[in-house]
Amino acid sequence: MKTDFSAFNIIHPDDYAAHGYPHPVWKRLRREDPVHWWDRTAGIPFWAITKHADIVTIGKRPDVFWNGPRLVIAHEPEQPNTFPPTLIQLDPPKHGIYRQLISKRFTPRYLKRIHGDIERIGKDIVDALVRDSDRGECDFVKEVSAPLPIAVIAWLLGVPESDWKLLFDWTNRTIGAGDPDFQEPGKTPQETAMQAMTETFLYFTKLIEEKKKRPADDLVTLFASLEVDGKPIPPMDVLTFCLIIVIAGNETTRNGTTGGMLALVEHQDELRKLQRNPRLLDSAVEEIVRWTSPIIHFARTAQSDFELRGKRIKQGDALALFYASANRDEEVFPDGDVFRIDRTPNHHLGFGIGEHFCLGSHLARLEMAVAYRHIVPRIEEIELAGPIERLHSGLVGGVKKLPIRYKLKRSAA
């Protein structure tokens, strides 16, 4: 089927920075050609997968659709990947073995033990907004949604507070390597990301050695002690565990929290509904994840021929799974273009599907719930105070700056 989608390149970072998510384009793809061969790119052509059911099908077939060859589809010619894969890039059987090694640290039971500490971190961050005055202006990203996940992840890893700002910088330069605000002068996006990851690895190499000498109840100590079949995992695998926790644990939660606040500002009837009925917080978090869909897409590569909706996907073909499109699929969400905090059921794919379902989903939900639990009841007035700045990325739907003007109560009701 020949369809003109020239108004928006669904893989180009600049289009996402300028316009946000292309929901009209995705909607048309879902309706006209949900398994669409996208070849309008300087990078590799790929199958654009936009329907909820199809992403579920692909996510549940790791024997056919692999993560390893590429995690994302680039808008430019592919560069050789010289860095070792993280957990999210592994395929069976290694993925299942490695995921099991750390999964207990991300269960609701374990998180219940540290719930109080995360509440304290969140409360302190929100309290800072009204420390000097109950009204004012701020960049919500800088003041709330960025510091919270960085603080939680760094605390869980065992990173000293004096170094938390380093994690923030490495994450920005890794995920936002192609963004003008984060790209290193004189370096390509690939070189920028490589430099940030190298700095991350050098830092954690030293921290791992310190934790071996003085073990603590933190993730770096856990990673350094992991064994498979009675043998320690390779040192590089220890480092990639640290890397993926820093990147995945920070970026998606930051952007989910930011996007959720933007949604509440733009839909103040839903904000007031949540204020009147705090018991809706859990469903509000699920709706925020669906609505914001922080991960735009992940890639898969077919290891054998596969037929989907009458299209022949050939061995070696790349696919882009557009989760943000699936989360507005009319067959699953008849009113998907409506933001509704009491939506139930809510079968969104904001955390993925299948064996690569987000390991940190419970932690992400907890962090977002903590942020909103401490800030929503205090809001008397809130509005945008300037233009929103979005991240140049075809992977993460990031908001770099969210200026708000507010009047807050000094303590929650």
Side-chain angles (χ1 to χ4, degrees):
M1 177 180 296
K2 296 295 184 180
T3 313
D4 179 19
F5 294 109
S6 59
F8 193 107
N9 186 327
I10 59 173
I11 212 67
H12 204 293
D14 291 349
D15 282 2
Y16 284 96
H19 306 294
Y21 283 6
H23 286 295
V25 175
W26 284 330
K27 188 172 188 175
R28 187 176 173 188
L29 280 170
R30 291 194 301 269
R31 182 179 66 249
E32 298 181 7
D33 197 14
V35 182
H36 179 82
W37 184 245
W38 190 278
D39 57 6
R40 295 169 296 285
T41 172
I44 61 169
F46 59 92
W47 293 101
I49 310 299
T50 50
K51 292 283 288 181
H52 189 286
D54 297 339
I55 292 178
V56 170
T57 294
I58 292 167
K60 292 184 176 180
R61 292 298 304 271
D63 56 321
V64 176
F65 299 102
W66 283 14
N67 282 33
R70 60 184 60 84
L71 181 63
V72 300
I73 305 291
H75 71 288
E76 55 194 15
E78 283 192 326
Q79 302 293 321
N81 182 15
T82 58
F83 252 65
T86 64
L87 180 66
I88 201 170
Q89 295 160 283
L90 297 180
D91 291 298
K94 187 174 181 179
H95 173 261
I97 295 170
Y98 269 42
R99 183 181 175 104
Q100 189 62 33
L101 290 175
I102 65 171
S103 60
K104 290 182 180 179
R105 283 296 184 105
F106 296 92
T107 62
R109 175 177 292 184
Y110 180 81
L111 293 177
K112 189 175 182 179
R113 291 173 45 191
I114 60 174
H115 193 151
D117 294 288
I118 295 175
E119 287 281 355
R120 173 184 52 78
I121 292 171
K123 185 176 185 298
D124 288 346
I125 288 171
V126 174
D127 281 347
L129 289 178
V130 293
R131 191 159 293 151
D132 299 320
S133 173
D134 61 359
R135 62 176 67 222
E137 295 183 12
C138 76
D139 174 9
F140 187 78
V141 177
K142 181 180 179 181
E143 300 298 333
V144 179
S145 57
L148 177 57
I150 281 291
V152 172
I153 290 300
W155 178 72
L156 288 172
L157 284 164
V159 173
E161 186 169 353
S162 58
D163 294 338
W164 288 4
K165 63 182 182 299
L166 296 175
L167 304 190
F168 182 63
D169 174 57
W170 292 329
T171 300
N172 285 335
R173 287 192 286 132
T174 301
I175 294 296
D179 189 284
D181 284 348
F182 305 125
Q183 186 174 342
E184 293 281 356
K187 294 183 182 290
T188 66
Q190 291 77 20
E191 291 169 340
T192 297
M194 188 69 70
Q195 177 65 31
M197 287 188 281
T198 300
E199 292 173 19
T200 307
F201 277 9
L202 289 173
Y203 176 86
F204 278 103
T205 296
K206 295 178 182 179
L207 186 59
I208 287 165
E209 291 306 311
E210 293 176 10
K211 296 295 182 180
K212 287 180 178 178
K213 295 175 184 177
R214 291 179 289 277
D217 184 19
D218 56 46
L219 288 178
V220 172
T221 300
L222 171 66
F223 298 157
S225 65
L226 293 177
E227 296 182 349
V228 175
D229 296 330
K231 298 179 181 179
I233 66 173
M236 186 56 72
D237 289 355
V238 177
L239 289 172
T240 59
F241 268 123
C242 296
L243 177 66
I244 194 60
I245 295 300
V246 170
I247 301 300
N250 166 33
E251 196 68 27
T252 52
T253 306
R254 179 207 309 187
N255 291 304
T257 305
T258 303
M261 181 51 64
L262 176 59
L264 292 171
V265 171
E266 293 180 332
H267 302 84
Q268 297 212 7
D269 53 337
E270 296 299 294
L271 168 64
R272 303 307 174 189
K273 184 190 298 182
L274 183 56
Q275 289 180 324
R276 292 192 300 270
N277 189 355
R279 290 177 297 179
L280 291 175
L281 180 59
D282 288 345
S283 66
V285 167
E286 295 303 317
E287 178 67 347
I288 285 168
V289 173
R290 183 194 74 85
W291 185 258
T292 61
S293 297
I295 296 296
I296 298 169
H297 89 279
F298 276 140
R300 298 290 187 270
T301 303
Q303 299 306 299
S304 59
D305 290 359
F306 191 89
E307 185 169 311
L308 187 63
R309 294 188 187 266
K311 301 292 183 70
R312 175 61 61 179
I313 298 171
K314 298 178 181 178
Q315 181 180 7
D317 282 355
L319 303 88
L321 312 185
F322 288 97
Y323 302 101
S325 171
N327 286 340
R328 301 286 182 98
D329 190 338
E330 297 78 7
E331 291 186 8
V332 181
F333 307 100
D335 61 345
D337 291 331
V338 176
F339 178 69
R340 184 157 54 80
I341 65 165
D342 55 357
R343 181 181 300 277
T344 183
N346 193 342
H347 301 302
H348 65 77
L349 301 181
F351 292 119
I353 191 70
E355 68 167 21
H356 279 283
F357 183 84
C358 178
L359 184 65
S361 61
H362 298 300
L363 179 59
R365 288 180 173 108
L366 175 57
E367 291 180 56
M368 284 190 278
V370 165
Y372 298 131
R373 177 160 41 248
H374 289 290
I375 197 168
V376 166
R378 303 186 188 190
I379 295 174
E380 291 189 12
E381 301 171 10
I382 192 165
E383 63 182 0
L384 293 180
I388 300 165
E389 293 188 26
R390 300 184 185 276
L391 184 69
H392 288 248
S393 174
L395 167 64
V396 175
V399 173
K400 294 186 295 183
K401 295 182 180 179
L402 179 63
I404 59 171
R405 183 178 300 110
Y406 58 84
K407 179 181 180 182
L408 302 180
K409 302 173 185 176
R410 286 192 171 271
S411 61

